[in-house]
Every structure is written in structure tokens, then in C-alpha cells.
Amino acid sequence: LISWIENASPALPMIMKELAPDTGRAHVIGVTGAPGVGKSTTATALIRAHRARGERVGVLAVDPSSPFSGGALLGDRVRMQEHALDPDVYIRSMATRGHLGGLAVATPQALRAYDAAGFDTVIVETVGVGQSELEVAETADTILVLLAPGMGDGIQAAKAGILEIGDIFVVNKSDREGAQALVRELRTMIALAQRGPQDWKPPIVMTVASEHRGISDLLEAIDRFRASQADTGRAQKRRVARARREVESIALAKLRAEFRLDGETGLDDLAEAVSRGELDPYAAADQMVIGH
Ligand SMILES: Nc1nc2c(ncn2[C@@H]2O[C@H](COP(=O)(O)OP(=O)(O)OP(=O)(O)O)[C@@H](O)[C@H]2O)c(=O)[nH]1
Ligand SMILES: [Mg+2]
């Protein structure tokens, strides 16, 4: 299913129709942060923790920069090998090269596949901190933002808008110098970036993922967040917002395809004419949409 989603199979609408009644149960944890901060290591530690509770766990590593994905994602697989033989753990990386609508369409569909397959927890790892990564992170029920000391992360995070989306902040590599300073800096920055009603103050959890230290604290923070989200009705609101974006992305991708906005047909000629002043952009747009 994930391969079909990756390759934007024409069978997708039919598949999603079949899957829909079996979706809505999985809890999706988004793990985001700068390259090398320890996302895969933390995901691996979380797999172990969730397995210990008897849950089935899926991991989806989304790589927007597909040309370079091979090595990094292979590395992730090796890192998570501890769970390779466990039938209740499924690890998959996904590139969306050539997917109509890109990550915005492909990621939620892949999560539906995991959900319908009966995974209790699905961990989505995104590489990097750019706009499309934020988009992926926003498909999660619980968003973990990872930082590590000595990476100039604090400032970087503020720039990328990552402070606004974090439900829980993880200072990983706390075995390194500067961890406490990073926590202090982060605390100030989170307070400044706080949005909306203050019924959830994003906690900062210190971890050494490579040694499984702090993982039970992290799990506890995730549980508390889930309970708080459920109590306030925010969990459901977030799911509706997610579905809304999902429908919108698919609709826009369909419109693009229908009007061939991505292809050479028509648009290139119109652009030429507009650039030469032979046609105004409004008339050109009309020719494209109405003349279609
Ligand atoms: N010292 C220390 N090293 C860690 C810790 N967690 C992870 N590492 C190491 O940091 C390196 C990068 O870890 P990954 O888990 O691959 O990081 P990532 O964020 O998934 O990296 P990308 O997917 O490439 O962005 C590996 O060599 C890990 O062993 C930690 O808590 N302390
Ligand atoms: Mg990784």
C-alpha cells in the first residue's frame, strides 16, 4: 500500500475508500528536528517503550529531499534493526518524488494505511526543519520537537517556526555539555512563542536516547499530553483540521492536474504572451480556466 501511495497509483481513491472505515484509531507521534539530532534513535527507543506495553508500532520516515534519501534511510533501518524481526513493528521510509501534491497528499494517506493495518502507535520521522517538514509534523496527533546541545539549535528552531508547533520539546544528547543551558534557553523561547489558550504548557524532557535515558519521562509526557488533548476536545479538533488540509491538498492537486498547471500545455505559451505584453495575466488565467 505504501508503495502505491508513494507512486501515486491510480487505484488510490478505491483503496482509500476501502480503508476509511478502519481508520481513526492510531495515535500518530511526529518526531521532527535538525539533521543528526537523534530522531531515529529516539524513535527506536520509543518503539521499545510502546512494545513493552504490548502495542503494535509503525514507523514512517518521510524524506522530502528524495534524491539523497537512500543512504540516510538505510542508516535508519540499520539503527532500528533491534526491532527488525518483531512482527508487531513495521518500519518504512517513504519518498514522494513525482507524487501529485507531494508530501501534503502522500503522508496522510500513508498514515491511513498504518492506521487501517491496526498499529496503535505510528511514529513519523521527518528529516530537517523546513516548510514541508512542518507540514508533515502537522499531520501528527502529538508533535515532538527534538533539539540537542552544541548544534546552535535554539536560534535555528525559532527561525523555522518550530517552537509554535511543538507539543513536547526533547533535549536529546543530554550527556553532552550545554544541555542545561539549552533547556533554560528553550524555556524562555517557548514562553515567548506560546500561542492560544494556555491549557497546555509544552514540557521539556531531557533524554539520552542512545542509552534509553529519559525515555520513560518522555512517554509519560506523551501520555499526559494525550489525556489533556482528549479532555479539552482538542484531539478531535486537530483531527478535523488535519482532514480538512488533506481534502484541500487532494482537491488542489486534482485541479492542477485538470488544468494541467504543472505541464507544458498551454501555460508556457500563455506565459510567453504575458511576458511580451501581448496578453494580460487575468485574460491568460481566464483562457486557462474557462477556455478549458
Ligand atoms: N551522545 C549522544 N549521541 C546520540 C544520542 N542520541 C543519538 N545519538 C547519536 O547521534 C547520531 C545521530 O542520531 P540519529 O538518531 O541518526 O539522528 P537523526 O536525527 O535521526 O538524523 P537524520 O535522520 O540524519 O536527520 C547517531 O550517531 C546516534 O548514535 C544521545 O542521546 N547522546
Ligand atoms: Mg533519522
Side-chain angles (χ1 to χ4, degrees):
L1 284 177
I2 307 278
S3 296
W4 281 337
I5 290 162
E6 224 170 10
N7 300 323
S9 159
L12 274 188
M14 193 258 290
I15 292 166
M16 289 306 151
K17 185 179 174 165
E18 292 295 320
L19 295 189
D22 291 318
T23 58
R25 282 187 283 267
H27 174 239
V28 179
I29 302 175
V31 179
T32 191
V37 76
K39 298 179 293 294
S40 299
T41 312
T42 303
T44 309
L46 283 175
I47 296 174
R48 198 200 282 182
H50 282 280
R51 284 298 293 130
R53 293 174 165 185
E55 293 179 17
R56 302 185 69 216
V57 186
V59 178
L60 178 69
V62 181
D63 192 348
S65 53
S66 30
F68 307 106
S69 69
L73 294 170
L74 186 64
D76 282 351
R77 288 245 181 134
V78 170
R79 207 154 290 137
M80 295 176 188
Q81 211 165 33
E82 166 188 349
H83 305 284
L85 296 177
D86 185 340
D88 289 319
V89 174
Y90 182 75
I91 299 165
R92 176 71 148 81
S93 55
M94 182 175 73
T96 55
R97 191 178 8 213
H99 198 293
L100 212 54
L103 287 174
V105 172
T107 306
Q109 305 315 311
L111 292 175
R112 285 175 174 280
Y114 276 85
D115 191 357
F119 289 102
D120 305 290
T121 297
V122 184
I123 301 167
V124 189
E125 176 184 342
T126 54
V127 182
V129 288
Q131 190 50 49
S132 52
E133 293 83 350
L134 289 182
E135 223 167 69
V136 173
E138 280 172 347
T139 62
D141 297 304
T142 302
I143 301 172
L144 310 185
V145 172
L146 265 63
L147 299 101
M151 297 179 70
D153 267 324
I155 292 120
Q156 214 180 311
K159 269 193 202 149
I162 228 170
L163 286 174
E164 284 81 2
I165 66 157
D167 298 313
I168 296 165
F169 290 85
V170 180
V171 171
N172 189 42
K173 305 197 184 185
S174 286
D175 52 328
R176 290 196 178 167
E177 211 173 308
Q180 287 292 351
L182 178 57
V183 169
R184 279 193 299 275
E185 184 190 1
L186 199 52
R187 195 164 283 142
T188 313
M189 291 171 78
I190 293 169
L192 291 173
Q194 272 274 313
R195 27 103 228 225
Q198 310 256 325
D199 52 9
W200 177 257
K201 195 165 161 282
I204 303 170
V205 181
M206 295 175 83
T207 59
V208 184
S210 51
E211 292 168 21
H212 273 258
R213 274 156 56 196
I215 299 302
S216 56
D217 291 345
L218 178 55
L219 209 61
E220 197 242 340
I222 294 171
D223 286 342
R224 272 197 297 122
F225 178 68
R226 283 187 77 180
S228 143
Q229 287 284 98
D231 288 350
T232 55
R234 282 174 190 281
Q236 182 55 21
K237 269 196 192 138
R238 197 182 272 206
R239 286 186 170 218
V240 173
R242 185 204 300 176
R244 195 178 188 282
R245 279 196 301 271
E246 203 180 333
V247 175
E248 192 182 14
S249 311
I250 294 173
L252 286 174
K254 281 179 86 124
L255 285 173
R256 279 186 169 275
E258 184 164 342
F259 293 119
R260 291 184 248 185
L261 292 181
D262 293 325
E264 342 65 68
T265 335
L267 183 53
D268 280 352
D269 291 341
L270 290 169
E272 287 277 346
V274 169
S275 77
R276 283 195 300 265
E278 296 163 9
L279 193 65
D280 72 89
Y282 285 90
D286 278 347
Q287 277 190 33
M288 214 164 161
V289 179
I290 298 163
H292 169 72

